Amino acid sequence: MGVVVQKYGGSSLADAQGVKRVAQRIVATKKLGHDVCVVVSAMGDTTDELRDLAEQISPLPPARELDMLLTAGERISMALLAMAIANLGQTARSFTGSQAGVITDSAHGRAKIIDITPGRIESALAAGDVAIVAGFQGVSMDTKDVTTLGRGASDTTAVALAAALAADVCEIYTDVDGIFTADPRIVPAARRIDHASYEEMLEMCACGAKVLHLRSVEYARTHDIPIHVRSSFSDRPGTWVDNRSEVEPVEQAIVTGVAHDRSESKITVAGVPDKVGEAARLFEALADAGINIDMIVQNIPAPGGTSTDISFTLPRVDGQTAMEALARLQPEVGFEQLLYDDRVGKVSLVGAGMRTHPGVTARFFAALAAAGVNVEMISTSEIRISVIVDEDQVDAAVASAHHAFDLDAAEVEAVVYGGTGR
Ligand code: ASP
Ligand code: MG
């Protein structure tokens, strides 16, 4: 039997009891004859607590030291888990990201994996040990410093290791039974998705679904690693993310899920002279400030008019920086005013079935209208429609769209087993 990579999130490892429970699961997998490599997150809310602690010392800690601090969270869980597994009579060895051969660039707090050289993991597995790897961290190829890969990136460590070890599957253990058709806190009748393609999952993650780290899905698609997202608190099957639908097309629902995101804000540049090159100047300034733009809408100038309005959305955390960068351009470009709105939310409908079914947009907009939701901006891809709405209307929009596409389950399926939702 082949290699299985299992990743356990913070809510599965929240306390000593959780660590022992996870150890039992791992030993059971090992007893089935698999080689088991485990990736862990920090226990419970440890990463947030470490951040808070750093903030009390310094409002702007050196990035290198912040990474050094945050990687400690995963070291705690990996060592405790190795002890718990040893108690069950199975040998286990824990490794930091650096020891596991996770080589990254040197961008602290958002490092990218460049290469994985898992020699020590392979030897541990060959010796019959369970190998435990600290998630979301690596070592910079250039500076040799310890790096972190970004919040939630233990998923990415797990998928990258699964690829490097040619694993059969990467199991992502969490506190819900998989990925749901909407956030069960908003739509109690949300259904567990049995199966999603990589591209659907990429769209869901990019649109605010938080179950999987976006880069983990990109990695899985590139290396063709099946991901199984499931609960560590139950034995139920979860959600498979793989390329099955490309291999054996199945009759699928038009819409796979409804995602939402409250992390964006909207900027409107009003009265931009309607001349070639003005938009380029605005967006170049934002690009130079390192800001990612999401949706863009430009109004058509009124007949005979000479100016237009450009609105776009961006991460809320970048709002201040963006407004300052644009304000500096005002004398040069000569637009009238800048408006900032951080009370917006994005609601997205995702499904590969959209490609072949007409009328999805009409049905979506009818559902929004029925819920009294006003649409501010729209963007689409082949398999997604997203709208920007007032933040207070996000819940109503999600619930109404979920219902309109017949996604509601007859009975409540979603059980949230743990986590503080932090
Ligand atoms: N512990 C890290 C975080 O909280 C990484 C992870 O959980 O994936 O972001
Ligand atoms: Mg996570």
Side-chain angles (χ1 to χ4, degrees):
M1 269 193 237
V3 178
V4 170
V5 173
Q6 300 187 327
K7 178 255 169 177
Y8 292 92
S11 53
S12 298
L13 297 164
D15 50 20
Q17 209 46 48
V19 173
K20 289 183 190 169
R21 196 174 40 79
V22 164
Q24 270 164 358
R25 258 205 121 99
I26 293 167
V27 171
T29 311
K30 177 75 185 147
K31 285 204 172 123
L32 291 175
H34 300 283
D35 283 341
V36 189
C37 173
V38 176
V39 173
V40 290
S41 287
M43 296 172 76
D45 293 331
T46 303
T47 309
D48 288 304
E49 286 156 14
L50 290 173
R51 277 199 76 104
D52 294 350
L53 194 57
E55 220 162 83
Q56 289 172 42
I57 306 274
S58 163
L60 232 120
R64 178 189 187 278
E65 303 311 326
L66 186 60
D67 271 1
M68 202 57 125
L69 178 72
L70 295 185
T71 54
E74 272 67 14
R75 291 179 73 138
I76 296 173
S77 20
M78 72 180 193
L80 292 174
L81 185 56
M83 295 174 198
I85 294 174
N87 273 345
L88 300 173
Q90 166 64 51
T91 46
R93 260 187 279 170
S94 64
F95 299 91
T96 63
S98 166
Q99 290 175 319
V102 180
I103 315 290
T104 72
D105 62 19
S106 53
H108 284 293
R110 52 186 165 89
K112 294 239 156 56
I113 297 176
I114 297 173
D115 193 15
I116 301 222
T117 50
R120 298 192 64 184
I121 306 301
E122 284 161 345
S123 325
L125 296 180
D129 295 353
V130 169
I132 306 173
V133 179
F136 125 104
Q137 55 180 277
V139 62
S140 158
M141 187 162 73
D142 305 329
T143 63
K144 309 287 179 245
D145 282 329
V146 166
T147 53
T148 63
L149 312 179
R151 298 306 306 271
S154 291
D155 298 343
T156 299
T157 304
V159 175
L161 269 169
L165 298 169
D168 296 334
V169 58
C170 182
E171 297 183 330
I172 305 277
Y173 284 95
T174 179
D175 54 7
V176 284
D177 284 318
I179 300 164
F180 283 78
T181 47
D183 184 337
R185 278 166 302 198
I186 297 182
V187 185
R191 261 193 289 196
R192 183 179 54 78
I193 300 170
D194 277 328
H195 178 274
S197 65
Y198 294 122
E199 55 169 356
E200 285 172 320
M201 217 39 234
L202 282 174
E203 294 274 16
M204 298 269 289
C205 291
C207 292
K210 292 185 196 73
V211 212
L212 283 177
H213 193 238
L214 178 63
R215 259 153 55 210
S216 73
V217 186
E218 286 170 351
Y219 222 101
R221 178 171 65 169
T222 311
H223 298 271
D224 201 5
I225 302 292
I227 300 179
H228 187 189
V229 182
R230 55 192 306 199
S231 168
S232 72
F233 297 81
S234 83
D235 280 319
R236 298 190 205 162
T239 300
W240 284 87
V241 183
D242 55 24
N243 66 4
R244 196 193 69 180
S245 60
E246 281 131 61
V247 179
E248 39 173 289
V250 280
E251 187 55 49
Q252 57 200 353
I254 303 172
V255 167
T256 302
V258 186
H260 72 279
D261 187 354
R262 291 180 217 265
S263 69
E264 293 194 349
S265 61
K266 182 177 87 172
I267 290 179
T268 301
V269 191
V272 183
D274 191 25
K275 286 189 300 205
V276 172
E278 297 300 354
R281 287 216 282 192
L282 298 175
F283 290 110
E284 265 160 25
L286 296 166
D288 290 344
I291 295 169
N292 270 319
I293 304 300
D294 184 17
M295 286 192 206
I296 305 173
V297 170
Q298 176 172 338
N299 292 343
I300 299 169
T306 55
S307 71
T308 177
D309 298 341
I310 300 177
S311 298
F312 58 88
T313 61
L314 72 170
R316 221 172 262 186
V317 288
D318 293 330
Q320 184 73 23
T321 319
M323 287 295 277
E324 283 163 16
L326 292 171
R328 280 196 291 275
L329 279 183
Q330 186 161 18
E332 197 185 314
V333 176
F335 56 81
E336 276 155 30
Q337 60 170 330
L338 283 176
L339 302 166
Y340 184 67
D341 183 0
D342 63 1
R343 307 238 358 109
V344 295
K346 182 163 83 169
V347 177
S348 305
L349 214 57
V350 176
M354 275 183 212
R355 272 201 193 101
T356 46
H357 287 83
V360 176
T361 310
R363 199 148 136 199
F364 184 31
F365 281 49
L368 294 172
V373 176
N374 185 40
V375 174
E376 297 180 25
M377 293 168 100
I378 305 160
S379 88
T380 61
S381 82
E382 256 197 312
I383 62 164
R384 173 185 55 81
I385 308 174
S386 302
V387 293
I388 294 290
V389 302
D390 186 294
E391 188 178 27
D392 293 334
Q393 295 192 310
V394 167
D395 289 10
V398 171
S400 185
H402 195 267
H403 184 72
F405 284 90
D406 301 325
L407 294 173
D408 291 356
E411 286 164 39
V412 172
E413 289 183 6
V415 188
V416 178
Y417 299 93
T420 59
R422 185 165 173 179

